[in-house]
C-alpha cells in the first residue's frame, strides 16, 4: 500500500515538473521573442525614441529686419535687453544669493517676491527670471561680480523700439506678443515652427504686412541633456537667418513737417508721387505711441485709447470714411465726357438751386446768387453744384457707378497695408440689398456732388486724381521701395496692370486738369486767393462734406453748430501743374479748430516741398531712393 502511494506521488510529481518546465520554457521563449523584437526588429524605432529623450532642439530667434525711409534713415530699432536668470539646483543658499544680488541689481521686495513665487512653480533645473530689462550700469556691476554667483547668468534678447513714436505709428505699425489666434494662423500657413523662438509678431502697418520679409528664419541648437534636463554638450548648431531690411518710399522729414501742420487736429494727409504711386507721406492725426504695445500695453491704457473720442487708433488716410463731396466733380465731369453725356461746349444755367424734373424738390447750390451760364470748365473752377446735379441726373446711377468704380471708389486701393476700408460707391443693387428700397432719381442727384450714400477714404481720392493726371492710367499706391539683405535686394514689383479708363489720347483729360488749375489760379476759381501766387503752379479741388443733413429751408451756420456736427473740409491738389510730382489729399474733420483752415495748410505743405528753404533741400523727395 505504501509502495503504491509512493508510485502515485512520484507520477504526480513528474507531471507537475513537466508542466512547470513547459511553463518555464514557454515563458523564456516568449521573453526571447520579445527581446528579439525589441532589440533587433524594432531597434531603430526605440533608438529614435531614446534619442528624443536625451537630445533636444533649442530654437534660436532670428534678428528682425529694420525699416528705413527713402533716404536711408532707420525708422525702427532692435534694442538688446538683459535679464538675470537663476538656475535653482546650482545655488546652495538661495536666500544668501538674493541678499548679495540686491545691491548689485537694485532688486525691489516686489521683484524678489515675484521670483520666489515663480520659483515654487518651476523645475529646479530650469532657469528662472529674477530681473528683466537691466540698465547698463546694473549689467556692468553684475558682470564684475559674476564669478561669485554660481548658477546666476545674464540672458540677452532683442525687442523692437520705435524712436519716432506717434509720427509713424499708422504707417510702420508695431509688433506685439504672439497670441493663440496668431499661432493658429501661422500653423495653418505651415510657418508655425519658424516662430518657435519668438515672442512677438507684426500686428499693424508695415510690420504686419511685410512680416514674412522682416522676420527671417529661425535657427536651432541640437543639444544633449541629462535626465534632469541639463545641457551636456552641443551636437549641432544651425545659425538663424536674419530678416530682410525694408526701405519705404516715405520721406521722414516731409512726414514730420506734415505732422507739425496737423498738430492738435483731427485730420489726415496723403502725399503720393503720381508717376509710380509711391507714398511720400501718410499722416493721420491724432496718432498714438506704438512702443507700449511691444511689451504688452496695460488694459487701462488700451481702454483709454479705445474710448478716446478722437479715434487715435484709426488711420484716417485708409480707414477714414467721409462723403467725398466736391472733390469728385472732376471725375464726374470726366465720366460724363467719356460717355458722351456732355461735351466741352455743353452749357447749363447755374441758378441758386436746381429742381428735380417732375418734382418740386429743390437742390441748393453753395453760392446763394448762383453762377450764371456754366460750361464744364467753369463748373469745376467754381465748384458749381447745380451743374453737377444736372450731369448726375443725365448720367444715371448705373453709368456713374460703372465709371467712378474705375477711378477706384468703392473698393480697396491695393496699398500695402492691411488696415484699409473699401468705402461705398452706391448702386441700385446695393440699396435694394441693404435698405430694401428701390433707387430714386433724387438719390442720384446727391451722388453727383459726392454726397448722399457715397463714402470714400482720402487714399481713394488720391488714387482717382493720379488716374486723372496719367490720362486714365490707374496706378496702385505703395509704401515699399525695396527689400534688402546683404548683397541681395528686391525692388518693389508693381501689381498687375489696372484697367485703363477711357481713351488715354482723349483731349478731355487735359481739359479737366486745366479746369482744376483754373480753380486754383483763375480769378473766379474758389482757390484763387490761396494758390495763384505759387510759382510752380497748383491745380486743386476743394470739398465740403456734410456731417448732418440740412432741412430744405435751413441755412448752415458753423458758429451755431456744435464742433462735432460741423462740415468736414477737403482739399485735393497736384503740382507742379506742367509736370506733376506730387498728388495730395487733405481732410480737416469738422473744419479744423483754433483757426486752422485747409487751404493754407495745403499751401504750406506744397511750398515746403517746392520752394527753397535754408534748413533743407525741398527737392529731396523727387525720386530719391
Amino acid at each position: 500500500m505504501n509502495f503504491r502511494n509512493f508510485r502515485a506521488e512520484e507520477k504526480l510529481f513528474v507531471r507537475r515538473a513537466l508542466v512547470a518546465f513547459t511553463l518555464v520554457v514557454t515563458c523564456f521563449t516568449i521573453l526571447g521573442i520579445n527581446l528579439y523584437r525589441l532589440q533587433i526588429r524594432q531597434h531603430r524605432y526605440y533608438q529614435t525614441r531614446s534619442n528624443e529623450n536625451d537630445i533636444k532642439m533649442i530654437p534660436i530667434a532670428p534678428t528682425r529686419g529694420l525699416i528705413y525711409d527713402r533716404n536711408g534713415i532707420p525708422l525702427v530699432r532692435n534694442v538688446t535687453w538683459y535679464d538675470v536668470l537663476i538656475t535653482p539646483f546650482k545655488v546652495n543658499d538661495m536666500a544668501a544669493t538674493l541678499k548679495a544680488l540686491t545691491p548689485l541689481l537694485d532688486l525691489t521686495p516686489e521683484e524678489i517676491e515675484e521670483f520666489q513665487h515663480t520659483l515654487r512653480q518651476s523645475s529646479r533645473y530650469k532657469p528662472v527670471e529674477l530681473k528683466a530689462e537691466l540698465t547698463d550700469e546694473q549689467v556692468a556691476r553684475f558682470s564684475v561680480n559674476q564669478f561669485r554667483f554660481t548658477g546666476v547668468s545674464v540672458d540677452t534678447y532683442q525687442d523692437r523700439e520705435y524712436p519716432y513714436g506717434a509720427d509713424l505709428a499708422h504707417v510702420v505699425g508695431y509688433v506685439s506678443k504672439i497670441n493663440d489666434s496668431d499661432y493658429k494662423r501661422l500653423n495653418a500657413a505651415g510657418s508655425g515652427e519658424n516662430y518657435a523662438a519668438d515672442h512677438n509678431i507684426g500686428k499693424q502697418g508695415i510690420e504686419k504686412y511685410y512680416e514674412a520679409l522682416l522676420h527671417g528664419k529661425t535657427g536651432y541648437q541640437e543639444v544633449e541633456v541629462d535626465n534632469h534636463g541639463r545641457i551636456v554638450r552641443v551636437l549641432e548648431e544651425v545659425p538663424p537667418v536674419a530678416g530682410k531690411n525694408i526701405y519705404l518710399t516715405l520721406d521722414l522729414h516731409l512726414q514730420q513737417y506734415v505732422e507739425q501742420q496737423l498738430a492738435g487736429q483731427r485730420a489726415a494727409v496723403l502725399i503720393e508721387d503720381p508717376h509710380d504711386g509711391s507714398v511720400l507721406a501718410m499722416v493721420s492725426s491724432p496718432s498714438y505711441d506704438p512702443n507700449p504695445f511691444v511689451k504688452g500695453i496695460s488694459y487701462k491704457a488700451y481702454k483709454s485709447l479705445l474710448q478716446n473720442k478722437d479715434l487715435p487708433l484709426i488711420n484716417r488716410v485708409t480707414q477714414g470714411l467721409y462723403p467725398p463731396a466736391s472733390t469728385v466733380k472732376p471725375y464726374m465731369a470726366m465720366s460724363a465726357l467719356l460717355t458722351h453725356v456732355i461735351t466741352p461746349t455743353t452749357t447749363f444755367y447755374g441758378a441758386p438751386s436746381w429742381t428735380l424734373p417732375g418734382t418740386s424738390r429743390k437742390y441748393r447750390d453753395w453760392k446763394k446768387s448762383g453762377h450764371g451760364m456754366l460750361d464744364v470748365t467753369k463748373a469745376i473752377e467754381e465748384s458749381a453744384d447745380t451743374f453737377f446735379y444736372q450731369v448726375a441726373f443725365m448720367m444715371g446711377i448705373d453709368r456713374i457707378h460703372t465709371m467712378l468704380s474705375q477711378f477706384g471708389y468703392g473698393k480697396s486701393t491695393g496699398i500695402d497695408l492691411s488696415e484699409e476700408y473699401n468705402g461705398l460707391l452706391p448702386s441700385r443693387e446695393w440699396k435694394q440689398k441693404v435698405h430694401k428700397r428701390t433707387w430714386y432719381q433724387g438719390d442720384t442727384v446727391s451722388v453727383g456732388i459726392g454726397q448722399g450714400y457715397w463714402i470714400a477714404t482720402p487714399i481713394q481720392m488720391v488714387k482717382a486724381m493720379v488716374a486723372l493726371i496719367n490720362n486714365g492710367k490707374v496706378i496702385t499706391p505703395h509704401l515699399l521701395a525695396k527689400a534688402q539683405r546683404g548683397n541681395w535686394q528686391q525692388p518693389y514689383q508693381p501689381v498687375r496692370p489696372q484697367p485703363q479708363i477711357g481713351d488715354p489720347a482723349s483731349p478731355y483729360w487735359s481739359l479737366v486738369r486745366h479746369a482744376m488749375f483754373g480753380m486754383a489760379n483763375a480769378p473766379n476759381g474758389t482757390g484763387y486767393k490761396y494758390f495763384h501766387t505759387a510759382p510752380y503752379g497748383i491745380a486743386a479741388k476743394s470739398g465740403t462734406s456734410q456731417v448732418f443733413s440740412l432741412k430744405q429751408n435751413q441755412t448752415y451756420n458753423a458758429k451755431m453748430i456744435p464742433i462735432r456736427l460741423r462740415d468736414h473740409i477737403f482739399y485735393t491738389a497736384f503740382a507742379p501743374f506742367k509736370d506733376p510730382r506730387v498728388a495730395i489729399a487733405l481732410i480737416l474733420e469738422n473744419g479744423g479748430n483754433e483757426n486752422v483752415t485747409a487751404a493754407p495748410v495745403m499751401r504750406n505743405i506744397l511750398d515746403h516741398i517746392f520752394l527753397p528753404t535754408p534748413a533743407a533741400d525741398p527737392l529731396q523727395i523727387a525720386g530719391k531712393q
Side-chain angles (χ1 to χ4, degrees), residues 145-195:
N145 293 275
Q146 186 170 5
F147 69 94
R148 297 166 46 199
F149 301 99
T150 302
V152 184
S153 60
V154 173
D155 180 45
T156 64
Y157 65 97
Q158 287 189 332
D159 245 342
R160 208 61 144 178
E161 185 176 81
Y162 301 99
Y164 299 102
D167 287 357
L168 295 164
H170 290 113
V171 178
V172 173
Y174 59 85
V175 299
S176 191
K177 294 184 183 300
I178 303 176
N179 56 34
D180 291 341
S181 62
D182 294 322
Y183 278 121
K184 288 180 182 178
R185 176 172 50 82
L186 291 169
N187 290 331
S191 55
E193 289 185 3
N194 200 31
Y195 286 80

Side-chain angles (χ1 to χ4, degrees), residues 61-65 213-218 239-245 484-485:
T63 300
R64 192 171 181 86
L213 290 175
L214 291 165
H215 178 261
K217 185 176 180 181
T218 297
V241 178
K244 299 175 180 66
N245 295 328
Q484 184 173 351
R485 183 175 62 211

Side-chain angles (χ1 to χ4, degrees), residues 126-151:
K126 292 183 178 180
V128 179
E129 181 183 284
L130 173 62
K131 186 179 181 71
E133 299 182 16
L134 271 67
T135 65
D136 292 341
E137 182 180 347
Q138 290 166 345
V139 172
R141 286 201 302 255
F142 175 76
S143 299
V144 172
N145 293 275
Q146 186 170 5
F147 69 94
R148 297 166 46 199
F149 301 99
T150 302

Side-chain angles (χ1 to χ4, degrees), residues 242-479:
K244 299 175 180 66
N245 295 328
I246 281 180
Y247 289 80
L248 302 183
T249 60
L250 210 71
D251 184 287
L252 175 63
H253 300 306
L254 179 60
Q255 178 88 3
Q256 292 179 315
Y257 178 81
V258 176
E259 289 274 2
Q260 294 169 6
Q261 292 292 304
L262 301 185
Q265 307 297 311
R266 285 175 289 109
V269 167
L270 177 69
I271 305 176
E272 189 176 315
D273 184 339
H275 292 100
D276 60 3
S278 57
V279 173
L280 306 175
M282 179 186 288
V283 177
S284 178
S285 177
S287 186
Y288 65 96
D289 184 3
N291 287 292
F293 287 87
V294 178
K295 294 291 184 184
I297 190 170
S298 68
Y299 171 78
K300 183 178 180 180
Y302 187 57
K303 184 179 179 182
S304 177
L305 286 172
L306 288 176
Q307 294 179 342
N308 189 325
K309 61 182 180 179
D310 291 335
L311 304 176
L313 295 176
I314 295 294
N315 183 352
R316 284 171 161 81
V317 172
T318 59
Q319 296 175 300
L321 297 174
Y322 315 94
S326 296
T327 62
V328 304
K329 289 176 180 176
Y331 320 117
M332 285 292 300
M334 195 67 218
S335 299
L337 290 166
L338 289 173
T339 54
H340 309 295
V341 171
I342 61 172
T343 69
T345 58
T346 298
T347 57
F348 298 125
Y349 181 72
S353 65
W354 179 80
T355 304
L356 179 65
T359 74
S360 60
R361 179 71 168 93
K362 291 187 176 182
Y363 294 84
R364 292 179 299 183
D365 195 284
W366 68 268
K367 191 173 183 180
K368 294 181 181 180
S369 61
H371 301 270
M373 292 305 297
L374 295 165
D375 61 10
V376 65
T377 297
K378 187 178 179 183
I380 294 174
E381 290 174 345
E382 299 185 12
S383 195
D385 293 333
T386 50
F387 183 91
F388 289 97
Y389 291 148
Q390 295 179 74
V391 167
F393 176 74
M394 294 168 64
M395 285 188 69
I397 189 59
D398 296 326
R399 270 190 291 201
I400 291 174
H401 186 273
T402 298
M403 292 302 299
L404 271 296
S405 64
Q406 293 182 55
F407 279 95
Y409 287 100
K411 55 188 175 183
S412 168
T413 63
I415 191 171
D416 38 356
L417 290 175
S418 300
E419 302 79 38
E420 183 182 11
Y421 294 155
N422 291 337
L424 172 64
L425 179 62
S427 65
R428 63 178 74 248
E429 292 79 14
W430 168 83
K431 187 179 179 184
Q432 183 63 48
K433 180 180 178 180
V434 174
H435 294 282
K436 311 300 181 187
R437 295 179 181 176
T438 57
W439 188 269
Y440 299 113
Q441 288 181 324
D443 298 328
T444 305
V445 173
S446 296
V447 169
I449 61 167
Q451 301 283 358
Y453 295 115
W454 196 346
I455 52 176
T457 60
I459 194 170
Q460 289 174 335
M461 300 175 193
V462 172
K463 186 173 184 178
M465 185 161 48
V466 168
L468 178 67
I469 292 169
N470 289 286
N471 286 14
K473 180 182 178 182
V474 180
I475 298 176
T476 301
H478 66 94
L479 284 156

